[in-house]
Amino acid sequence: MRVLGIDPGLTRCGMGVVEGSVGRPLTLVDVNVLRTSSDLPVPERLVTIEKGVDAWLDEHQPDAVAVERVFARSDVSTVMGTAQASGIAMVCAARRGLPIALHTPSEVKAAVSGNGRADKAQVGMMVTRILRLDAMPKPADAADALALAITHIWRGGAQARLDAAVAAAGRSRR
């Protein structure tokens, strides 16, 4: 399974592609951060993010997209930009008919580090270890995007198989 993890943000949108399956070593395919200038109007910034996400989807052809679920923080302007970038990412994936999963920050932290309250450094260190990298991906948005992809492969893939089994069992009972 190849998963594009997206850590949405209006200024920095982390993008990371990981390939693998449960019980097998995972492989880093690519990682980077889409950046937009705060000097530009928000609609232009969203178009830049849309073009960037589309380019990653075209280049890497993922089987699924995992996006960080937006949660309320104290700064409404930060939440708004994150939610807007998240919506753009989901629309880009939905246009292609790709499965989209939303994972909470604590779910991702727990999946990669075993601790739902892990800090960014711990998440980055575990991503480095899991993917057998020489250095921690920087900035943190890049590591977070990879952590989302890892979480989806480990949790989302299993959930998809369970959902398919339940659906198949429901059809066989009819």
Side-chain angles (χ1 to χ4, degrees), residues 29-71:
V29 176
D30 199 0
V31 65
N32 210 333
V33 175
L34 301 175
R35 297 175 191 272
T36 68
S37 171
S38 58
D39 296 337
L40 296 173
V42 171
E44 286 182 38
R45 295 171 78 184
L46 293 173
V47 168
T48 299
I49 292 168
E50 178 190 28
K51 288 178 181 176
V53 171
D54 277 338
W56 274 70
L57 292 168
D58 289 342
E59 180 178 351
H60 296 295
Q61 301 289 308
D63 300 307
V65 176
V67 181
E68 184 176 276
R69 183 182 300 272
V70 178
F71 64 99

Side-chain angles (χ1 to χ4, degrees), residues 69 102-113 116 151-152 155-156:
R69 183 182 300 272
L102 300 175
H103 298 285
T104 65
S106 58
E107 178 187 355
V108 172
K109 292 172 184 180
V112 299
S113 75
T151 299
H152 188 70
R155 293 191 172 177

Side-chain angles (χ1 to χ4, degrees), residues 8-170:
L10 199 50
T11 303
R12 289 180 320 274
C13 185
M15 307 287 287
V17 180
V18 175
E19 197 166 68
S21 59
V22 177
R24 303 264 185 185
L26 303 180
T27 305
L28 167 69
V29 176
D30 199 0
V31 65
N32 210 333
V33 175
L34 301 175
R35 297 175 191 272
T36 68
S37 171
S38 58
D39 296 337
L40 296 173
V42 171
E44 286 182 38
R45 295 171 78 184
L46 293 173
V47 168
T48 299
I49 292 168
E50 178 190 28
K51 288 178 181 176
V53 171
D54 277 338
W56 274 70
L57 292 168
D58 289 342
E59 180 178 351
H60 296 295
Q61 301 289 308
D63 300 307
V65 176
V67 181
E68 184 176 276
R69 183 182 300 272
V70 178
F71 64 99
R73 296 183 189 139
S74 56
D75 183 2
V76 174
S77 65
T78 302
V79 172
M80 202 58 155
T82 302
Q84 290 167 330
S86 176
I88 292 293
M90 289 188 281
V91 166
C92 291
R95 267 194 215 122
R96 290 170 165 77
L98 292 170
I100 303 160
L102 300 175
H103 298 285
T104 65
S106 58
E107 178 187 355
V108 172
K109 292 172 184 180
V112 299
S113 75
N115 176 3
R117 296 176 182 242
D119 62 24
K120 291 210 175 272
Q122 290 171 305
V123 170
M125 184 181 72
M126 289 308 298
V127 165
T128 304
R129 182 175 295 160
I130 291 165
L131 297 176
R132 300 168 320 281
L133 305 176
D134 295 331
M136 191 181 309
K138 294 201 183 208
D141 311 274
D144 290 349
L146 292 171
L148 279 152
I150 291 166
T151 299
H152 188 70
I153 291 170
W154 285 353
R155 293 191 172 177
Q159 188 61 51
R161 287 190 297 280
L162 286 171
D163 292 345
V166 168

